[in-house]
Amino acid sequence: FNARKMIKALQEKELRQHRAELNEVENQKRIKELERNGVIVLLAAGLFLALYIYTNQRRKYLQKQLIISQELKLKEQELSLAVQELQRFALNISEKNKMVEELQQKLGDSVTYETLERLQRSTILTDEQWESFRQLFEKVHGGYLHRIKEKLPGLTPAEIRFMALAKLQFSNKEMAAVLGVSSNGIRSIWFRLRKKLNLSEEGSIEEL
């Protein structure tokens, strides 16, 4: 009888141990599930955050690209208008010169010195017109005048204007009319530039 009681007690003890082990296994399983669920939640939160940051950054990038594109289009339009204005300016000078020459040929000796001088003076640019020309020129040839002043600091304002007109491929007659000097005056400016810059006789204004 005692032996049976002992066996029964041992069995109950083993059963309790087995139940405890089962409970421990269940607890471990729950803990692992909680850990796994926590990792999944963290991963999902991280993925959502990364997606949010990516979407936000992409939206900002696209907005920035749109602004840059709009600014570029606006600058291209401004440049196109400036080119047209500069072309009109050059054409206007050329037409004025032709008109003066034609009047001289038509009137011949009958044209007075005062009339001729007044006609020629009409082609000379005023300081205000030079400023408008400079602004247009800088829009089309950005930084050109600044680079000339930087690289060739000894140039006079008249020589810088000469360089700008030469850049637009004005003829000597047209440059003379705009600067208010004779054709010999233009040759003198070019001669002085050659000396200042140590250019050879073969060197041209285009190369410079």
Side-chain angles (χ1 to χ4, degrees), residues 176 181-189:
V181 296
S182 65
S183 294
N184 287 333
I186 294 298
R187 281 192 285 272
S188 296
I189 292 173

Side-chain angles (χ1 to χ4, degrees), residues 64-119:
K64 190 177 178 181
Q65 289 299 110
L66 181 63
I67 290 167
I68 290 170
S69 176
Q70 288 172 343
E71 286 176 351
L72 187 61
K73 282 181 182 176
L74 187 63
K75 283 179 182 176
E76 284 173 352
Q77 288 172 357
E78 286 177 356
L79 180 61
S80 178
L81 286 172
V83 168
Q84 289 172 19
E85 285 291 321
L86 204 55
Q87 286 172 346
R88 276 197 288 271
F89 167 84
L91 186 63
N92 186 38
I93 294 298
S94 181
E95 285 175 350
K96 277 184 178 181
N97 282 328
K98 283 178 184 175
M99 187 179 70
V100 171
E101 286 177 9
E102 285 171 5
L103 279 170
Q104 278 182 288
Q105 287 172 2
K106 282 180 183 177
L107 298 173
D109 294 334
S110 62
V111 64
T112 62
Y113 175 77
E114 288 79 11
T115 306
L116 185 60
E117 190 180 22
R118 196 159 52 246
L119 285 169

Side-chain angles (χ1 to χ4, degrees), residues 147-197:
R147 287 194 299 275
I148 283 180
K149 289 176 184 177
E150 198 175 59
K151 291 183 179 181
L152 313 170
L155 296 186
T156 64
E159 288 166 343
I160 289 172
R161 288 177 179 181
F162 170 83
M163 295 285 284
L165 295 173
K167 174 76 173 169
L168 297 178
Q169 297 182 339
F170 272 45
S171 67
N172 282 1
K173 273 188 180 180
E174 288 168 343
M175 283 195 274
V178 172
L179 295 170
V181 296
S182 65
S183 294
N184 287 333
I186 294 298
R187 281 192 285 272
S188 296
I189 292 173
W190 183 218
F191 178 76
R192 285 201 306 273
L193 277 172
R194 281 178 185 277
K195 270 188 102 174
K196 279 184 180 180
L197 307 174

